[in-house]
Amino acid sequence: MQYATTQDLIDRFSERELIQLTDPDAQAAVQTARVELVLGDAQAYADSYVGQVYKLPLKGCAKPVGASVEYVAPPQLTRIVCDVARYYLYDDLSPEHEVYLRYKAAERELQAIAQGAATLACPWGGAAGQPAGDGPVTGEVISSFSPRSITDDTLRGYA
């Protein structure tokens, strides 16, 4: 499942900005190959956090479409991947730049998801995916220890 598309970036940040970032010389059109590359990088970055909590690939959110259901990426994950991909398209940003600040916010949100402090939400109900592990291990812990082989008595006579 793809978390974000070129069209998602255009809808969020404008076609003009994407043209400036991907085709700075000709200013003719969005260079989709470059956009797809950074979207893939941004998705891999998001997966490195999300995969700590959810099995990959994500199942996605079940979105009702007429009489059927379509599985789509959780909207917050689409936003996060768009913010990260946009950051990847820029060459040099100051820490005060809006694009940098959005990237850092996305990074904090991904960390919260990985730590279990936040979850991927599906606005139509259900879960975005299955938990990565079987959950915490519960039950009794049994351990046994052998008696000490070195005691005061066995050490007598050694200097």
Side-chain angles (χ1 to χ4, degrees), residues 18 28 32 48-49 61 63 66 72 74 81 83 109 116 128 130 147-149 155:
L18 287 180
T32 55
S48 70
Y49 288 95
C61 295
K63 179 181 180 181
V72 298
V81 168
D83 285 341
E109 193 168 353
Q130 296 177 319
R148 288 179 48 179
S149 59
L155 289 176

Side-chain angles (χ1 to χ4, degrees), residues 14-53:
S14 84
E15 185 173 25
R16 180 178 177 174
E17 181 178 353
L18 287 180
I19 291 171
Q20 290 171 346
L21 291 170
T22 62
D23 191 15
D25 297 327
Q27 297 284 317
V30 174
Q31 301 300 306
T32 55
R34 181 152 186 238
V35 172
E36 292 298 323
L37 179 68
V38 298
L39 281 170
D41 291 345
Q43 180 162 331
Y45 180 71
D47 277 345
S48 70
Y49 288 95
V50 171
Q52 295 178 41
V53 180

Side-chain angles (χ1 to χ4, degrees), residues 62-133:
K63 179 181 180 181
V65 180
S68 64
V69 172
E70 176 183 343
Y71 285 90
V72 298
Q76 75 196 84
L77 197 52
T78 300
R79 176 185 41 79
I80 288 168
V81 168
C82 284
D83 285 341
V84 172
R86 183 183 185 205
Y87 172 77
Y88 287 168
L89 286 169
Y90 277 82
D91 290 329
D92 188 29
L93 294 171
S94 70
E96 301 85 30
H97 197 283
E98 178 243 350
V99 172
Y100 179 78
L101 295 173
R102 289 178 69 129
Y103 165 74
K104 293 307 278 182
E107 183 178 52
R108 284 189 302 276
E109 193 168 353
L110 286 170
Q111 288 171 346
I113 291 167
Q115 294 167 353
T119 60
L120 293 176
C122 291
W124 309 280
Q130 296 177 319

Side-chain angles (χ1 to χ4, degrees), residues 2 4-11 18 30 32 35-36 39:
Q2 191 174 9
T5 64
T6 301
Q7 189 60 51
D8 289 326
L9 281 171
I10 290 170
D11 292 346
L18 287 180
V30 174
T32 55
V35 172
E36 292 298 323
L39 281 170

